[in-house]
Amino acid sequence: MKKEIIIIGGGIIGLCCAYYLQQDGHQVTIVDKSDISSGASFVNAGYITPSHIIPLAAPGMITKGLKWMLNSSSPFYIKPRLEADFLKWSWLFKKSATAKNVARSIPKIKEINLLSRELYVDMQNSGDFDFHLERKGLLMCYQTDKEGEAEWNMGKLAIEEGLHVENLTKSAVKKLEPNIDFNIKGAIYFDSDAHMTPTNFMPQMIAFLKQKGVQFYTNEPISDLQYEKEKIVAVQTSKRTLKADEFVLSAGTWSSILAKKLRIQLPLQAGKGYRIDVTESTGITMPTILAEAKVAVTPMQGFTRFAGTMELGGINHKINPKRVKAIANAAETFYNGLKIPENSIANAACGLRPCSPDGLPYIGKTQYYQNLTVATGHAMMGWSLGPATGKLVSELIGVKPTSMKLEGFEVERFRFAQFKDLKI
């Protein structure tokens, strides 16, 4: 049955939800507080990552976070602050950072990534788009034996999950990147991964959706959500009231703020990431993560992108020059002879990733509102999981069997979390 559907948020998740919902014949409207030309969906590394099977909430992350808290240029930086939402999120993160959580999460993360990769390919083959998508795999380059051992342990876990992974020497890496002089000891190679150019895909998707009749209301922040009993009836923007049959909440980090208006607990923190784009030729052809520095390197259409860091410092778009410079320094350390131009550093941009406490996204319905579907909390995998999330949302709204089981992605999985031991 055709429905009127409002999607709150026009990032990669919201656009992919719109893509599959309009395919099902629904009338879709997207509302976004921005003009949908910047943010995490535009500045990410463009990775499709079945290799990234370990959630952010993993053993050892608390210790690393405390260690790196003293270093504002570290790969993972937490800005301590006495805010109730942040302290609750931190408490839930600590409880989730266990081996049990990792073991439970690995098959789910792998499955949804593989689903998404195939859906991107389907989009590319549809004839509706002409976007950049390559499957060349991913190199995890390391400079120390300790890091190499840790990365290979990750690789062996991926092999157990059926992914093809190789432990490469420096000379073997050279065969994949013959024009690059690496300062590394070796690399772990994941055949499963692909990469894209987000700034190429996003405008194409927006233009396609408009052509298909999807309505866009941009630069319109939502001030209120109106509900009656078990149904949302309308959203109030800065300019208008919009009614619909179904609502999708995919507003990234801002989803938790809007969820509060509906009395829904949706723990999220903004994980800020930065990118530097270099338009000059670098010779880099392989997507690569510089393991010790946690910097992602992506050969995109017309430029090379260097992206990284996870900064938990609240919702803001302030550029920290130290963190940007750390990305540039790491790149120059791993690639002998590479020099990141000063104008590229000066033009660095950032985006906010919505991070859940356990490292898994929120995808599904809520017990309170029968016509609300939530799709957020994807952290560093938002780009990778866009199509899969959109497909699953369309299946939920259409009351169809879902392409995969949604256990672990429940929207209200922290609803019964007890904070009595947390002093705020």
Side-chain angles (χ1 to χ4, degrees), residues 84 136 145 182 188 211 218 220 244 257 265 283 290 296 307 326 329 379-380 389-390 398 407:
K136 300 182 75 172
D145 290 333
F182 277 108
I188 309 303
Q211 178 192 339
T218 56
E220 294 195 27
I257 297 172
Q265 179 178 287
L290 314 179
N329 290 342
M380 294 173 289
T389 302
E407 284 88 348

Side-chain angles (χ1 to χ4, degrees), residues 139-143 173 182 184 186-188 288-292 334:
L139 288 170
M140 299 289 296
C141 289
Y142 58 87
Q143 294 182 321
V173 175
F182 277 108
I184 60 172
I188 309 303
T288 304
I289 290 181
L290 314 179
E292 282 87 352
F334 275 76

Side-chain angles (χ1 to χ4, degrees), residues 167-293:
N167 194 346
L168 303 181
T169 61
K170 181 179 179 179
S171 59
V173 175
K174 184 71 174 177
K175 291 179 181 178
L176 291 175
E177 281 280 39
N179 298 319
I180 298 299
D181 181 14
F182 277 108
N183 177 27
I184 60 172
K185 285 204 167 184
I188 309 303
Y189 173 65
F190 292 86
D191 170 78
S192 56
D193 291 21
H195 69 284
M196 299 172 64
T197 303
T199 51
N200 162 264
F201 178 85
M202 290 291 287
Q204 283 196 50
M205 177 60 89
I206 291 169
F208 174 80
L209 292 175
K210 288 180 177 179
Q211 178 192 339
K212 290 295 182 179
V214 174
Q215 177 72 54
F216 281 77
Y217 291 114
T218 56
N219 295 309
E220 294 195 27
I222 289 176
S223 57
D224 198 15
L225 296 101
Q226 301 170 12
Y227 54 88
E228 295 175 0
K229 296 183 179 179
E230 296 181 349
K231 295 191 73 173
I232 300 172
V233 294
V235 295
Q236 180 68 51
T237 78
S238 57
K239 297 180 181 178
R240 69 195 86 232
T241 299
L242 297 168
K243 296 184 178 181
D245 303 309
E246 295 275 349
F247 296 82
V248 178
L249 180 56
S250 58
T253 302
W254 291 268
S255 299
S256 60
I257 297 172
L258 294 173
K260 284 182 179 179
K261 296 179 182 295
L262 298 171
R263 302 167 298 164
I264 296 173
Q265 179 178 287
L266 196 66
L268 285 172
Q269 284 294 305
K272 187 187 296 182
Y274 297 85
R275 70 98 178 106
I276 300 171
D277 290 343
V278 176
T279 55
E280 292 83 356
S281 176
T282 62
I284 297 169
T285 64
M286 286 291 296
T288 304
I289 290 181
L290 314 179
E292 282 87 352

Side-chain angles (χ1 to χ4, degrees), residues 38-49:
S38 61
S41 295
F42 288 83
V43 305
N44 65 85
Y47 287 170
I48 304 166
T49 53

Side-chain angles (χ1 to χ4, degrees), residues 297-346:
V297 184
T298 316
M300 294 189 177
Q301 204 165 56
F303 58 94
T304 305
R305 174 164 290 179
F306 300 86
T309 82
M310 174 64 80
E311 177 183 335
L312 299 176
I315 297 179
N316 69 79
H317 286 90
K318 296 176 183 176
I319 301 290
N320 184 333
K322 287 184 179 179
R323 300 184 70 70
V324 175
K325 190 62 178 174
I327 293 173
N329 290 342
E332 293 173 359
T333 300
F334 275 76
Y335 294 94
N336 290 323
L338 176 68
K339 179 63 180 175
I340 305 295
E342 287 300 322
N343 66 307
S344 296
I345 295 173

Side-chain angles (χ1 to χ4, degrees), residues 73-213:
S73 62
S74 62
F76 180 43
Y77 176 60
I78 302 174
K79 181 180 179 180
R81 54 198 190 279
L82 293 174
E83 296 173 3
D85 287 346
F86 170 71
L87 293 173
K88 288 178 179 178
W89 185 93
S90 300
W91 184 78
L92 290 169
F93 183 88
K94 182 178 184 298
K95 287 180 67 68
S96 300
T98 64
K100 184 178 179 181
N101 175 58
V102 170
R104 187 171 54 235
S105 301
I106 283 175
K108 298 166 188 171
I109 294 174
K110 182 199 73 171
E111 185 179 5
I112 193 170
N113 269 285
L114 290 174
L115 171 62
S116 218
R117 188 187 69 190
E118 297 313 307
L119 291 173
Y120 268 125
V121 173
D122 290 345
M123 285 184 189
Q124 189 183 49
N125 293 337
S126 68
D128 295 325
F129 307 96
D130 184 27
F131 60 82
H132 169 230
L133 169 63
E134 292 184 82
R135 181 174 168 184
K136 300 182 75 172
L138 177 70
L139 288 170
M140 299 289 296
C141 289
Y142 58 87
Q143 294 182 321
T144 63
D145 290 333
K146 180 180 179 181
E147 189 67 28
E149 183 180 353
E151 293 299 335
W152 180 229
N153 286 336
M154 296 285 191
K156 287 186 283 188
L157 284 175
I159 291 172
E160 291 176 7
E161 288 296 316
L163 300 180
H164 178 69
V165 187
E166 298 178 40
N167 194 346
L168 303 181
T169 61
K170 181 179 179 179
S171 59
V173 175
K174 184 71 174 177
K175 291 179 181 178
L176 291 175
E177 281 280 39
N179 298 319
I180 298 299
D181 181 14
F182 277 108
N183 177 27
I184 60 172
K185 285 204 167 184
I188 309 303
Y189 173 65
F190 292 86
D191 170 78
S192 56
D193 291 21
H195 69 284
M196 299 172 64
T197 303
T199 51
N200 162 264
F201 178 85
M202 290 291 287
Q204 283 196 50
M205 177 60 89
I206 291 169
F208 174 80
L209 292 175
K210 288 180 177 179
Q211 178 192 339
K212 290 295 182 179

